[in-house]
Amino acid sequence: MSKLLSRPTTPDDQGCIQRISPASAGWDYVGFEVYQLQPGQVLEQATGDQEVCLVLVSGLADVATEQESWTGLGERMSVFEQKAPYSVYVPPSDRFRVTATTVLELAVCKAPARGEFGARLITPADTRYEMRGEGTNQRHVCNILFGNMAAEHLLVCEVFTPGGNWSSYPPHKHDRDAAPAETRLEETYYHRINPPQGFAFQRVYTDDRSLDETMAVEDRNVVMVPEGYHPVGAAHGYDLYYLNVMAGPERTWIFHNDPDHEWMIKKD
């Protein structure tokens, strides 16, 4: 049984189907939860010493913090509409309340913070969409809480990979405090697959192969990446979405490509 792969559970009384904490993952920064809420269901949490990014993966909701409130958030009813999501940043020492107005899939992304930034709405217009790669390495990236938005430690983005294509590829890693060459960032991948009976593959490996796991990933699985390279391949016929959460001692994404495979982006 892989220690890096988390499968969804039946929703608990709060609607939680995935819960990754630093304690359960064996690391220091990233916390990640997914909730499936029914219309009218409410999720309320204190942020404590964490900054939080609430991502409306699909569905509509009202969101409030202690100082701010927003109603009628959301637009897409499926991640495979390839529309940017609505999200809300909530600082530490605050509280959020999410009220689902339709069936709602909600991601709660967490990292330790001091409270440098206030609560704010992140609309689709605030995000940055880009296409990366070419051929069967092509994928579409949406930066939710990345260079487009300030935070203390959290980095959040989502990626759409067409069936038969590769992503997080060539294999790269970010597990050393060695700026400007590389930064150390823990990472989670929350996978959705269309149609949902499909699968993808993700490998996580280090240079010395002391960690080397290849996982068959199914719908709503989470893969944890504490270190090492972590490429993803979507099976033919099954489009892949994943939500990435990263955090580490420095909020800078500097990655290092596997030298064995870097040739493919250097060729003419």
Side-chain angles (χ1 to χ4, degrees), residues 62-117:
D62 300 333
V63 179
T65 69
E66 290 185 344
Q67 304 296 329
E68 305 284 351
S69 64
W70 301 273
T71 58
L73 297 185
E75 180 180 0
R76 68 187 188 191
M77 301 306 292
S78 165
V79 296
F80 295 101
E81 294 174 17
Q82 294 194 25
K83 298 176 181 177
Y86 280 79
S87 305
V88 172
Y89 176 86
V90 189
S93 303
D94 204 333
R95 191 171 192 88
F96 65 81
R97 179 183 176 90
V98 179
T99 304
T101 55
T102 66
V103 172
L104 177 68
E105 184 172 14
L106 176 73
V108 181
C109 317
K110 301 179 177 182
R114 296 182 298 274
E116 297 178 6
F117 306 102

Side-chain angles (χ1 to χ4, degrees), residues 147-167:
N148 59 316
M149 283 280 175
E152 293 186 53
H153 290 280
L154 272 176
L155 292 162
V156 182
C157 68
E158 58 182 20
V159 180
F160 301 89
T161 306
N165 283 20
W166 285 85
S167 196

Side-chain angles (χ1 to χ4, degrees), residues 30 146 153 155 174-177 183-187 225-227 230 246-254:
V30 173
F146 227 84
H153 290 280
L155 292 162
H174 36 74
D175 58 15
R176 296 185 302 140
D177 289 318
T183 50
R184 181 167 70 89
L185 295 166
E186 305 157 357
E187 186 169 17
V225 184
E227 61 178 328
H230 40 276
M246 291 184 280
E250 179 182 341
R251 190 179 182 258
T252 306
W253 183 52
I254 305 176

